[in-house]
Amino acid sequence: MQVLRRIAIGTGAAAALLLAGLGAPVPPSAAAGTDAAAALVAPAAAVVHPRLRATATPTPAPTPTPPPAQPARLAREALAQLPVKGRAPKTGYERTQFGAAWTDIDHNGCDQRNDILRRDLVGVVAVRGTHDCVVRSGILYDRYTGRTITFERGPNSADVQIDHVVALSDAWQKGAQQLDPLQRTSLANDPLNLVATDGPTNQSKGDSDAASWLPPNKSARCAYVARQIAVKQRYHLWVTAAERYAMDQVLASCPAEPLPVS
């Protein structure tokens, strides 16, 4: 009898589990015999995995790039940007530090002196057989003096000279020592730094800066100072405090003076 009772209980438990799986009601007698089995099965059935929601990674906003600094278009603006320093020693200065005189830096077959004469004179007549390079004669309306000068190639050629607007010795003492030979040659032959003018007036200027020399013709001073500023800006040269003051005084009468580019 005990054996048959154990078989009946086991059979009842198995039936209860089967009915539970099929969703049928389990008799109380069978359920009581299956508590231990249910305790083992329930935890696995009760595990619920939450649904994971993908979260978009926010794209960082690009760092705004500041607009490039606009180049100065007025001489007075450019003057304010030039560094101010003392004059360096003239030690080591020689004209040859700036290359051969009147080097043809634009490679047009003509030296820079004749290029500037053709640019600044009117009624130019060229020497035959020079591909119109060598100027034989012309008329100069001299901006430094306000005079009209007749140029004739020959014994009186020096009546018209080519001025280095920023004198080479002055440039040497204000930053040109740090330039390489090619840059110094460019500085000495750059049309921006060259102006045809009256010979004696050019001689009187020598290697002066704006603090010690200005064109006798006052109406030419604004353009003259603006050109010096443009050259110093282009070749990263500086000005002395006295030079800057003199330039600013000139430009105070012409605040809209443009900065020349050639």
Side-chain angles (χ1 to χ4, degrees):
M1 287 297 289
Q2 291 181 354
V3 173
L4 292 174
R5 185 181 181 89
R6 289 176 182 174
I7 292 172
I9 291 171
T11 304
L17 289 173
L18 178 61
L19 290 172
L22 297 173
V26 180
S29 61
T34 59
D35 286 345
L40 293 173
V41 174
V47 175
V48 178
H49 294 285
R51 179 176 295 176
L52 299 177
R53 180 175 297 174
T55 303
T57 303
T59 303
T63 303
T65 302
Q70 295 297 316
R73 298 185 182 279
L74 298 180
R76 213 170 192 189
E77 292 175 352
L79 175 61
Q81 296 172 2
L82 291 179
V84 179
K85 301 181 184 180
R87 184 185 292 271
K90 194 176 177 179
T91 307
Y93 169 74
E94 293 181 9
R95 175 61 181 83
T96 54
Q97 295 279 8
F98 292 82
W102 313 128
T103 301
D104 177 19
I105 61 170
D106 55 8
H107 306 294
N108 67 349
C110 305
D111 66 75
Q112 290 304 94
R113 172 178 165 79
N114 280 288
D115 277 347
I116 300 305
L117 288 175
R118 283 200 317 278
R119 184 194 70 184
D120 292 353
L121 272 59
V122 298
V124 170
V125 177
V127 175
R128 283 187 175 183
T130 63
H131 303 286
D132 293 333
C133 274
V134 179
V135 175
R136 188 178 72 188
S137 62
I139 302 295
L140 173 67
Y141 297 109
D142 181 29
R143 63 191 80 181
Y144 287 2
T145 63
R147 295 174 49 228
T148 299
I149 303 172
T150 300
F151 171 76
E152 189 74 35
R153 184 178 178 82
N156 297 320
S157 291
D159 288 352
V160 173
Q161 297 181 11
I162 309 300
D163 175 42
H164 285 100
V165 181
V166 173
L168 301 185
S169 173
D170 180 66
W172 179 260
Q173 296 173 80
K174 296 174 183 174
Q177 294 183 43
Q178 282 73 54
L179 300 179
D180 63 40
L182 187 61
Q183 290 171 321
R184 287 198 292 267
T185 298
S186 178
L187 168 61
N189 295 279
D190 191 336
L192 180 65
N193 195 33
L194 301 176
V195 170
T197 189
D198 169 60
T201 301
N202 186 49
Q203 293 296 321
S204 71
K205 172 188 171 180
D207 61 359
S208 300
D209 62 16
S212 53
W213 190 91
L214 290 168
N217 179 17
K218 292 183 179 180
S219 64
R221 291 180 179 179
C222 286
Y224 173 78
V225 165
R227 189 169 288 271
Q228 283 193 326
I229 293 168
V231 171
K232 295 207 168 192
Q233 181 189 69
R234 178 173 292 182
Y235 291 94
H236 308 290
L237 308 179
W238 66 76
V239 292
T240 63
E243 181 183 11
R244 179 176 180 175
Y245 176 79
M247 289 176 161
D248 192 61
Q249 289 293 102
V250 170
L251 294 174
S253 65
C254 49
E257 183 69 30
L259 191 71
V261 296
S262 62

